């Protein structure tokens, strides 16, 4: 797993005084940088080989300007050509948002997914970790 700390900017607030909902996915993208480096160590966009295949975010509590946000990121599944990533954002010791992301290792020239090489799988090793929450049941007894 990987953790970063961000300081919300005043410009990221909305009319209600909260951090705008469009900002949190940008923070989560920033937190994926160590994963991006496993695939493209230079982060050179001309060598990019990942696509975002899916993104689900849950906003649990408002997030505010003036207090740092801690984002924890992990990879909880590596498939043949895809991986599942989770993010959790906390402020003041409370979880304020979380997300699940699906990314695909992709050959843009061939326009198709490609197998994640063993050396990338090894590089992802330190980032492996189960998401810290359990999905709520939508069924009641």
């Amino acid at each position: 797993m990987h953790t970063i700390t961000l300081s919300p900017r005043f410009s990221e607030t909305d009319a209600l005084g909260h951090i705008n909902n469009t900002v949190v996915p940008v923070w989560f993208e920033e937190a994926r940088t160590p994963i991006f480096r496993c695939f493209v160590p230079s982060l050179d966009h001309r060598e990019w080989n990942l696509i975002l295949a899916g993104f689900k975010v849950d906003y649990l509590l408002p997030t505010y300007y003036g207090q740092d946000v801690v984002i924890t990121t992990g990879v909880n599944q590596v498939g043949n050509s895809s991986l599942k990533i989770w993010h959790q954002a906390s402020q003041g010791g409370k979880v304020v948002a979380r997300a699940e992301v699906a990314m695909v290792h992709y050959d843009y020239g061939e326009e198709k997914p490609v197998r994640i090489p063993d050396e990338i799988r090894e590089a992802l090793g330190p980032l492996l970790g189960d998401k810290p929450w359990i999905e709520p049941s939508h069924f009641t007894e």
Side-chain angles (χ1 to χ4, degrees):
M1 292 184 289
H2 176 71
T3 301
I4 64 170
T5 301
L6 300 173
S7 297
R9 298 176 297 186
F10 180 77
S11 63
E12 294 171 326
T13 59
D14 61 19
L16 299 174
H18 307 133
I19 297 301
N20 188 280
N21 65 310
T22 63
V23 172
V24 175
V26 174
W27 291 348
F28 288 157
E29 181 183 54
E30 177 64 24
R32 287 195 296 279
T33 300
I35 295 166
F36 297 157
R37 285 194 187 281
C38 292
F39 287 86
V40 183
S42 67
L43 300 179
D44 185 339
H45 70 279
R46 294 169 295 190
E47 299 173 19
W48 210 254
N49 56 17
L50 289 169
I51 59 171
L52 182 68
F55 191 91
K56 176 186 176 261
V57 62
D58 295 317
Y59 299 95
L60 306 171
L61 292 170
T63 310
Y64 298 98
Y65 171 72
Q67 192 175 28
D68 286 349
V69 174
V70 176
I71 299 176
T72 306
T73 300
V75 175
N76 63 323
Q77 185 178 352
V78 179
N80 183 49
S81 62
S82 65
L83 64 154
K84 290 186 180 176
I85 302 162
W86 58 265
H87 299 287
Q88 182 169 280
S90 300
Q91 188 178 55
K94 296 179 181 177
V95 177
V96 295
R98 60 186 182 206
E100 293 183 90
V101 178
M103 299 203 78
V104 176
H105 187 228
Y106 195 75
D107 182 325
Y108 283 92
E110 297 290 322
E111 295 186 340
K112 67 178 186 178
V114 292
R115 184 182 183 284
I116 298 171
D118 291 339
E119 59 270 12
I120 292 177
R121 291 171 188 276
E122 275 186 45
L124 290 168
L127 299 168
L128 291 174
D130 289 331
K131 58 188 175 185
W133 67 89
I134 297 172
E135 292 302 317
S137 174
H138 297 288
F139 301 99
T140 58
E141 294 182 18

